[in-house]
């Protein structure tokens, strides 16, 4: 899988395309969309081959792309390659969690590269979501265990708080999945939701 991903990522930023009759390379819209669809499909299937994937090498490929195409150059601009690489990173985090930090062996982490900054944002968002859900559950348990006047109302408020957290997650996943479908197919809802809610990158 690494060879396939390396080639696909390389095609994204090297701008390769089809060879014309004059011997020149011509980039076509269909070719670019085909590359993006292949990368998205690889991201969606990652769980099936994660056990044989060289994560260190994949992160190096992503780091090199982000070095050549820093996200700061594309703020406010639709840049599908960058969004797909974020999807791959999110998928890796979903499958490996904090362990993903152990695979930065080929990355110059001392320079605080964009890849490391993005990983920090992903983990920060996951932690915030976890705390929100935990607080809502604690509030429900607290009010249900107290009894007395106002308990039902307080419990109802806590239930609404938890429902709000869950609804936000579901809506975020649905929106991001539709965005993924527009570019050739959607990834997992949890991955898409994480990508959608992280905007400061």
């Amino acid at each position: 899988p690494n060879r396939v991903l390396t080639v696909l990522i390389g095609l994204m930023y090297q701008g390769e395309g089809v060879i014309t009759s004059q011997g020149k390379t011509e980039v076509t819209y269909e070719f670019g969309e085909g590359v993006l669809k292949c990368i998205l499909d690889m991201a969606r299937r990652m769980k099936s081959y994660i056990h044989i994937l060289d994560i260190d090498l994949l992160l190096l490929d992503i780091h090199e792309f982000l070095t050549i195409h820093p996200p700061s150059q594309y703020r406010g601009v639709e840049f599908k390659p960058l969004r797909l690489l974020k999807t791959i990173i999110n998928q890796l985090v979903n499958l490996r969690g904090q362990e993903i930090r152990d695979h930065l062996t080929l990355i110059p982490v001392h320079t605080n590269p964009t890849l490391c900054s993005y990983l920090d944002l992903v983990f920060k968002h996951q932690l915030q979501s976890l705390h929100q859900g935990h607080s809502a559950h604690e509030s429900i348990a607290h009010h249900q265990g107290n009894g007395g006047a106002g308990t039902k109302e307080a419990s109802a408020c806590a239930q609404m708080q938890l429902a709000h957290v869950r609804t936000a997650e579901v809506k975020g996943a649905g929106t991001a999945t539709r965005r993924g479908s527009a570019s050739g197919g959607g990834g997992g809802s949890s991955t898409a939701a994480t990508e959608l809610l992280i905007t400061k990158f």
Side-chain angles (χ1 to χ4, degrees):
N2 280 98
R3 291 183 179 180
V4 175
L5 288 167
T6 296
V7 170
L8 289 174
I9 292 174
L11 289 175
M12 281 199 308
Y13 69 82
Q14 290 176 2
E16 296 184 14
V18 296
I19 304 299
T20 65
S21 58
Q22 290 77 26
K24 297 181 180 181
T25 300
E26 179 180 312
V27 179
T28 64
Y29 175 81
E30 291 78 11
F31 177 84
E33 287 296 302
V35 170
L36 297 179
K37 288 180 180 180
C38 288
I39 292 179
L40 181 60
D41 187 61
M42 290 291 290
R44 292 192 311 185
R45 298 172 183 269
M46 188 174 292
K47 186 176 180 179
S48 66
Y49 61 81
I50 188 72
H51 60 288
I52 59 173
L53 179 67
D54 187 336
I55 299 177
D56 300 55
L57 184 57
L58 175 57
L59 290 177
L60 176 61
D61 289 333
I62 295 174
H63 163 71
E64 291 178 344
F65 181 91
L66 294 176
T67 299
I68 296 176
H69 292 282
S72 58
Q73 291 184 359
Y74 301 96
R75 285 175 181 166
V77 179
E78 175 67 14
F79 187 52
K80 291 181 180 179
L82 180 59
R83 191 173 68 185
L84 282 177
L85 288 186
K86 289 181 180 181
T87 299
I88 292 177
I89 297 173
N90 291 330
Q91 187 75 326
L92 286 171
V93 171
N94 287 337
L95 294 172
R96 286 293 183 263
Q98 290 284 347
E99 178 189 330
I100 200 69
R101 296 185 186 278
D102 297 331
H103 293 281
L104 297 171
T105 59
L106 303 177
I107 310 299
V109 294
H110 63 281
T111 63
N112 192 30
T114 300
L115 174 61
C116 291
S117 298
Y118 184 62
L119 283 173
D120 289 340
L121 284 174
V122 173
F123 287 121
K124 181 179 180 180
H125 168 72
Q126 287 187 342
L127 186 61
Q128 289 175 342
S129 298
L130 180 63
H131 284 168
Q132 287 178 349
H134 184 65
S135 297
H137 281 292
E138 282 188 340
S139 180
I140 292 173
H142 172 72
H143 291 299
Q144 286 179 342
N146 278 339
T151 299
K152 291 183 179 180
E153 290 79 359
S155 179
C157 290
Q159 289 282 3
M160 290 177 63
Q161 179 185 0
L162 179 59
H164 176 73
V165 172
R166 290 175 176 170
T167 301
E169 292 176 350
V170 171
K171 286 184 178 179
T175 303
T177 301
R178 289 194 295 272
R179 287 185 179 179
S181 298
S183 62
S189 61
S190 61
T191 299
T194 302
E195 177 185 349
L196 176 70
L197 294 173
I198 297 175
T199 58
K200 294 182 179 180
F201 180 46

